[in-house]
Amino acid sequence: MRADAERNRCRILAAARRLYATEGLGVSMASVAREAGVGKATLGRRFATREELVNAVFADRMDAYADADPDPWHGFTGYLHAVCAMQAADRGFADVLTMTFPAAKALEARRAEAYDRLLELITRAKNSGHLRDDFTHQDVVILLMANAGVIAATGDAAPDTWRRLVGHMLRSYAAPDAPIPALPEAPRPTALYRAMVRLSRPGAGQHA
């Protein structure tokens, strides 16, 4: 029975990762159970709440996203680009970065650790003279929210649009003498138009 239980747990986690990555955290527990090929009761025995499932899927991911480059400015810009890239690759992780889950203790603990590392990155980048003095940690949250919106709006019609947004934002954060990262190419007009058409469809604003 223990082996069966572990297999079911692995199937549930794999199914949740697939659904969260493509559809975000709005996916119902019933949908996860169907994707995993298990009953709702089986899912409930392994993960009693959505928060428990989200924690199991993403807690380890939080450990990976704040390793610092030894160069303060490169460490700061590389960190922001890496986090935004993770958002683009996994819509569920994009939700995790811009939401709170008070009941998911392990996930919130990892978020707190990542926050402390972020504060250290900001301080080092400011001390190097390359990050603007008026930059605050709240600006990172604003960037992640904006990036999540661009990712949701453009989808597969213009999937690299987020890179342009991040490029512009990194330039706005730079002090006058900071090395400016190259600005990624703008999306093609036809691709951006397809994204706009996609966004105009009914329900498109809800994890389109």
Side-chain angles (χ1 to χ4, degrees), residues 9 14 42 49 56 63 68 82 96 107 116 131 153 163 184 188 191 198:
R9 184 177 188 277
T42 298
T49 65
D63 292 335
V96 166
L107 184 64
D116 289 340
L131 178 61
R163 298 180 186 275
R188 296 190 310 277
R198 177 180 179 275

Side-chain angles (χ1 to χ4, degrees), residues 23-130:
E23 300 181 32
L25 298 187
V27 172
S28 68
M29 295 288 275
S31 295
V32 173
R34 284 195 299 271
E35 179 74 10
V38 301
K40 287 189 285 187
T42 298
L43 174 61
R45 284 194 295 273
R46 302 294 169 264
F47 304 100
T49 65
R50 182 181 73 126
E51 286 75 14
E52 288 183 15
L53 181 58
V54 169
N55 180 75
V57 170
F58 291 107
D60 60 337
R61 297 283 301 278
M62 297 295 291
D63 292 335
Y65 90 95
D67 292 333
D69 185 295
D71 178 274
W73 177 242
H74 289 162
F76 172 77
T77 58
Y79 164 82
L80 290 187
H81 192 276
V83 174
C84 290
M86 291 173 77
Q87 281 187 297
D90 188 329
R91 286 180 59 178
F93 192 64
D95 288 345
V96 166
L97 291 176
T98 55
M99 298 168 65
T100 59
F101 300 88
K105 301 300 184 184
L107 184 64
E108 289 301 305
R110 283 173 167 86
R111 188 200 301 275
E113 292 170 6
Y115 172 76
D116 289 340
R117 293 198 293 269
L118 170 61
L119 293 182
E120 181 181 349
L121 282 175
I122 292 173
T123 298
R124 292 173 65 236
K126 284 186 176 181
N127 289 342
S128 75
H130 291 153

